[in-house]
Amino acid sequence: KAEASSDSDEKPDDDDDDDSGLTEEEVVLAKTIAESPETEHSVQKAALVLRLREGIGSLGRILKTIENFKGIITHVESRPSKKEGLQFEVLVKIDMNRQSLLQLIRNLRQSSALDGVTLLADNSVSIKDPWFPRHASDLDNCNHLMTKYEPDLDMSHPGFADKEYRARRKVIAEIAFAYKYGDPMPNIPYTETENETWSRVFNTVLDLVPKHACIEYQRVFKKLQEERIFESHRIPQLQEISDFLKRNTGFTLRPAAGLLTARDFLSSLAFRVFQSTQYVRHINSPYHTPEPDCIHELLGHMPLLADPSFAQFSQEIGLASLGASDEEIEKLSTIYWFTIEFGLCKEGPEVKAYGAGLLSAYGELLHALSDKCEHRPFDPSTTALQKYQDQEYQPIYYVAESFEDAKEKFRRWVATMSRPFEVRYNPHTQRVEVLDSV
Ligand code: HBI
Ligand code: FE
């Protein structure tokens, strides 16, 4: 049985205000996209006013983000701002498809370099009907990258000074961008160096797993070894892993070019699809990577996605994200962070790790299970509000009673979200069905 439906019935708080986090113009945009699928990919002219909080230097990154969303910049104009604390206002004219535009705006709103983004458009109608993927093939449009941690842009990235590494990353990223739903998973012939990097991490994981990983992880890990998918001397290909997951829980993979926006990343989970990077961290820093790489995804995430209970929990986080407001996406990301990435769970009297960020990184795993940090019981309503950072070890970890218990608590919390509709995944059609509840 591979079906997920949130079985909550009524929702108490339904004042029909604009809780979607969109301005009126964006609502219009979302509406035209929703109503006419053929406009979804058609190019439109848009103008954005960006309010830069930092100097004009941050504009480069922002323009790069626009290009990552496949926007063609036709005009840029800047002026010093009169408002205190804001340094510049920048008018950017862009040609891009409507759907990417909406996602771009959402992405820009998450940027700490910006104090705000305004879309200049004409008339306005108030209706909320945000675009989100309805079918697994719509994930072809959910591959927007965050510009954080790219080796080309980030001077502290271990690969920043290595031209050859950056070129390799580019090749692998292009392959991911070219991927379309239904294609076979691209095969990457990994180099000796890349396999060596994998091998080092794999061997540390082998040491730690028996003592510190939860039983579900250990079980699947063993199976992956028996099927010769997990071997110390070579990086497994996405296709083998995807086939393995499919046999076990119906999860499949898609190649991702890098760190995706939370919205895009979470939405794929709704379809039991995990967007996995395919490049390998730099050999000079085998035990730490500032961004997800395939070693993290494969060693950290894959085993548990083959566990039925965990797979269900993951999918439900994804389903909750569809059509959620930006604030809710932030909360869901936080829950994702403290469970799927850094979660701990009880096993009898002991505490074990199940988070992928712990199981693929030996230093933090030992830290998380030491007395140098705090353990709190997992509770979605408080966990969702916990601040976190990805630069240092976490000071706080959340402990789940079990995956089933985490899922039950999560379901109850999702029922308090503001979304005016329910979603249900139909595994036969790979389609998300939307049930209006108002
Ligand atoms: N993108 N490729 C990729 N892999 C991840 O693990 C990932 C991501 N984007 C966001 C993300 N994880 C999470 O940290 C949450 O924000 C959902
Ligand atoms: Fe991860």
Side-chain angles (χ1 to χ4, degrees), residues 24-25 28-29 32 44-45 98 119-125:
E24 281 185 348
E25 290 90 336
V28 176
L29 187 61
T32 51
Q44 96 152 41
K45 294 193 179 299
R98 285 156 175 262
L119 171 69
L120 303 179
D122 35 15
N123 55 1
S124 47
V125 187

Side-chain angles (χ1 to χ4, degrees), residues 392-406:
E392 284 162 57
Y393 293 166
Q394 310 300 315
I396 302 168
Y397 297 90
Y398 287 89
V399 185
E401 294 292 324
S402 65
F403 298 148
E404 285 300 314
D405 186 63

Side-chain angles (χ1 to χ4, degrees), residues 265 274 292 296-297 301 336 340-341 356-357:
F265 183 77
F274 188 94
H296 162 75
E297 324 266 36
H301 288 289
Y336 180 95
I340 295 181
E341 285 299 345

Side-chain angles (χ1 to χ4, degrees), residues 16-20 22-28 31 123-129:
D16 222 319
D17 276 321
D18 190 12
D19 50 9
S20 61
L22 299 180
T23 66
E24 281 185 348
E25 290 90 336
E26 288 155 23
V27 163
V28 176
K31 182 171 178 278
N123 55 1
S124 47
V125 187
S126 189
I127 184 165
K128 51 182 172 198
D129 194 357

Side-chain angles (χ1 to χ4, degrees), residues 9 118 120 133 150 190 198 252 275 282 303 305 326 346 367:
D9 16 19
T118 309
L120 303 179
E150 283 182 38
Y190 287 110
W198 160 269
T252 57
Q275 303 217 46
H282 198 274
L305 290 176
D326 290 351
K346 283 195 188 159
H367 165 80

Side-chain angles (χ1 to χ4, degrees), residues 1-5 134-136 181 246 249-252 269-273 312 315 319 423-433:
K1 182 178 152 247
E3 175 217 270
S5 68
R134 304 291 174 109
H135 185 263
Y181 172 78
K246 184 138 199 202
T249 54
F251 251 91
T252 57
L269 298 177
F271 301 86
R272 294 208 176 205
V273 171
Q312 182 73 29
Q315 182 179 26
L319 285 166
V423 294
R424 186 172 59 205
Y425 181 65
N426 180 337
H428 309 296
T429 58
Q430 296 188 296
R431 203 168 280 286
V432 162
E433 292 160 359

